[in-house]
Amino acid sequence: MEPTGSVNADPAREDGRCTQWRNWSGFWLLGLCNNFGYVVMLSAAHDILKRQESQNTTASTEATLAVGFQGGNSSNSSRYDCNPVSTAAVLLADILPTLIIKLSVPFVIHNMPYGIRVLFCVVMAATSFLLVSLSSAVWISILGVIFASISAGLGELSFLSLTVFFTRDVLGGWGSGTGGAGVAGAFLYSALTQVGLSPQLTLQIMLVVPFAMLISYFSLLVPPPSLPQWKSRRTEYAAVGSEESQGLMDGAEEEEQEKSTPVTEAVSTGPLTFTEKLHVIKGLLKFVLPLGLVYFAEYFINQGLMELLYFPNFFLSHAEQYRWYQTLYQVGVMVSRSSLCCVKIRKMWALSLLQVVNAVVLLFAVRYQFLPSAWLVFVIVLYEGLLGGAAYVNTFYFISKESEDRHREFAMAAASVGDSLGIALAGLAAFPVHRFFCSL
């Protein structure tokens, strides 16, 4: 009889493993697809501005932001081979809509079902690739970048909130996927343009990514019954409240059921009030501030200093050096965001301090040009990516672990503002730095 019992238990175990694997893989793909467009826009920033500079030489009335793409080095008098506009311009167009969404949407997003959110993100992402690749005017190109930002911002806070309905290990899948987006986006853009494909055609090929997001969410994930797929959380709360009022008549029997309810299925007993949300935000500051500082330092490097770390005698052109800086940075991010199963780091301020040291060292390297070769910069930006990725994935792991069940869904969404705020401030700080060095 024992062998028969063990054999009968195997299918249930296998189903559990299969569900766990599908959910982890689903969140990995969602992270990959959600961040892909954002990364591609930043990887293309140098090319965007090069094309704009070329247009400005033939049409002096043209606006200063980019509409298309063109490789090659500029011919200006600065030793840094500067673009007329910092790549931080593209960064700000890519991050400010995301920041606005993350600052405001967590307070009202519970009114929008998860299924509708995903469909909206897919449409925004696909539209962004089309607009930027087919743009014939400045405002169309920038509008495409903004659409990519809206998709990434709404997607990130939605999918981080979504992890509350699954086992905590899906956070590792999400973190690894967002890191993979960096590598895939930066590497594919660099590699495809390096072998001769036009940036326009490269972006059109990448239209497959939004549709992969659609498939991974609706076909790969195994959603629990408690997930509000096509109804808002407000409707869900009303239904729960009605059931609870009927359950009061059952007394002790109902209490026993509540005790045995899994955490993932008892996310909350009602909507958080505005005061409660402010209280949750106050408790998140110990996570959000270090994360914001890490991202401020690393994007100050990425969009303020990387384009100035130019080595004329290196075998790669200026545009190619910039692309591979971005690619190696994203490799570091992917490795560290995939490390949650191996190591967990609670001291976020240590990561912040190390990233600030990176920024200071590279700032002096730009000013005094003491680095002998781009190879050393490749190593530094890889290390920079490792720090940034570790800060991101560990921040959300410990928020998920330490937040109360009722607060967790809102906390995960609200905390996502940390990295975006740091990135936006870095973009603003990069402008005067770019102007100063390019005037030398």
Side-chain angles (χ1 to χ4, degrees), residues 37-348:
Y38 167 81
V39 171
V40 168
M41 298 303 172
L42 293 186
S43 297
H46 194 276
D47 289 338
I48 291 173
L49 296 172
K50 282 294 180 182
R51 175 59 174 172
Q52 180 61 30
E53 180 186 1
S54 175
Q55 290 187 344
N56 284 343
T57 62
T58 58
S60 60
T61 60
E62 192 70 46
T64 56
L65 288 179
V67 292
F69 307 85
Q70 182 68 38
N73 293 336
S74 64
S75 54
N76 57 55
S77 58
S78 171
R79 63 182 178 178
Y80 297 103
D81 189 34
C82 293
N83 285 306
V85 181
S86 168
T87 53
V90 177
L91 172 66
L92 287 176
D94 215 9
I95 197 62
L96 286 180
T98 292
L99 178 61
I100 293 171
I101 287 173
K102 290 182 177 181
L103 284 171
S104 57
V105 168
F107 292 93
V108 296
I109 194 64
H110 60 275
N111 293 317
M112 181 182 289
Y114 279 96
I116 301 297
R117 299 187 212 179
V118 173
L119 291 175
F120 181 79
C121 291
V122 168
V123 171
M124 288 290 101
T127 303
S128 72
F129 283 122
L130 285 173
L131 285 176
V132 176
S133 65
L134 301 175
S135 64
S136 58
V138 175
W139 69 271
I140 295 177
S141 182
I142 296 304
L143 185 62
V145 176
I146 291 172
F147 279 13
S149 179
I150 292 172
S151 174
L154 181 61
E156 182 177 17
L157 67 88
S158 295
F159 293 131
L160 282 170
S161 296
L162 186 66
T163 61
V164 173
F165 296 91
F166 298 84
T167 56
R168 195 167 286 129
D169 67 308
V170 300
L171 273 171
W174 166 262
S176 179
T178 55
V183 175
F187 177 79
L188 283 176
Y189 181 82
S190 298
L192 291 176
T193 53
Q194 191 90 33
V195 299
L197 288 182
S198 69
Q200 291 91 339
L201 180 58
T202 299
L203 287 176
Q204 290 167 19
I205 291 172
M206 292 175 180
L207 277 168
V208 69
V209 174
F211 294 101
M213 175 188 286
L214 200 66
I215 293 170
S216 61
Y217 180 80
F218 288 106
S219 299
L220 190 55
L221 287 183
V222 183
S226 59
L227 177 65
Q229 183 75 279
W230 298 111
K231 55 185 177 180
S232 69
R233 295 292 286 159
R234 187 178 298 277
T235 305
E236 183 82 1
Y237 296 142
V240 170
S242 176
E243 291 175 4
E244 287 180 350
S245 64
Q246 292 180 357
L248 289 175
M249 300 176 63
D250 294 330
E253 184 178 339
E254 180 68 20
E255 290 181 9
E256 289 300 317
Q257 288 183 347
E258 288 181 0
K259 290 178 182 178
S260 62
T261 302
V263 171
T264 54
E265 294 187 5
V267 176
S268 65
T269 57
L272 295 176
T273 65
F274 183 75
T275 303
E276 287 176 314
K277 289 178 179 179
L278 292 180
H279 179 72
V280 173
I281 290 173
K282 183 179 178 181
L284 291 174
L285 292 179
K286 61 184 178 183
F287 296 105
V288 172
L289 293 180
L291 181 65
L293 184 57
V294 167
Y295 272 80
F296 171 82
E298 71 184 75
Y299 275 83
F300 180 76
I301 295 170
N302 291 358
Q303 307 306 131
L305 302 179
M306 273 189 186
E307 63 176 323
L308 303 175
L309 290 164
Y310 169 51
F311 297 85
N313 298 323
F314 202 63
F315 71 94
L316 297 174
S317 70
H318 191 179
E320 290 166 347
Q321 288 177 44
Y322 177 84
R323 291 174 197 158
W324 288 108
Y325 289 156
Q326 293 286 348
T327 302
L328 287 170
Y329 158 76
Q330 297 293 352
V331 169
V333 170
M334 183 191 71
V335 171
S336 57
R337 287 195 182 188
S338 303
S339 66
L340 196 58
C341 60
C342 304
V343 60
K344 296 174 181 63
I345 303 171
R346 182 65 178 78
K347 296 181 179 178
M348 302 302 169

